[in-house]
Amino acid sequence: MNEEIGITQAIPAAAPHFRASDCYYHANAKGTGSALKLELHPAHDDTPGSVFVRIAMQRTVASQQGGVQMFPTFDWKNSIVMKLDRSDLSQILQVLRGM
């Protein structure tokens, strides 16, 4: 009907999609630290929810070069990824509670 009267509607661009995530970093001076990233994948339609856990080893140590602070980096490219479903998470909680 809008075409009949010459009105055009703008099609909104798709909104960016972000997943809820949290990172924990534990770097040390020996370069043997690690980082952990938790990413929530909520349940939808017929897909059950899960939590993805990504663990990366420390790649470089903190340093100063020319008066500039260089922060430690982590090897995310070669990280270990685990998918935890509801059953996995409930078993982890049971262990943490001492059951």
Side-chain angles (χ1 to χ4, degrees):
M1 182 170 171
N2 289 341
E3 291 86 19
E4 293 175 0
I5 56 175
I7 299 173
T8 59
Q9 294 179 345
I11 298 172
H17 181 69
F18 298 101
R19 293 205 186 277
S21 64
D22 201 5
C23 287
Y24 300 92
Y25 301 95
H26 189 269
N28 61 33
K30 294 186 229 176
T32 58
S34 60
L36 173 85
K37 180 178 183 180
L38 302 169
E39 188 173 298
L40 179 64
H41 289 247
H44 60 86
D45 299 329
D46 61 343
T47 305
S50 61
V51 174
F52 276 70
V53 178
R54 175 174 269 178
I55 302 171
M57 294 176 54
Q58 185 176 345
R59 190 171 55 183
T60 62
V61 296
S63 64
Q64 277 198 331
Q65 296 177 350
V68 177
Q69 175 70 34
M70 302 298 290
F71 294 102
T73 59
F74 297 88
D75 190 9
W76 291 109
K77 185 176 180 180
N78 296 314
S79 63
I80 297 170
V81 180
M82 296 173 284
K83 178 183 176 183
L84 303 176
D85 62 10
R86 191 163 101 181
S87 174
D88 298 325
L89 294 171
S90 64
Q91 289 178 9
I92 290 170
L93 287 174
Q94 286 178 344
V95 169
L96 294 175
R97 290 181 176 176
M99 296 179 160

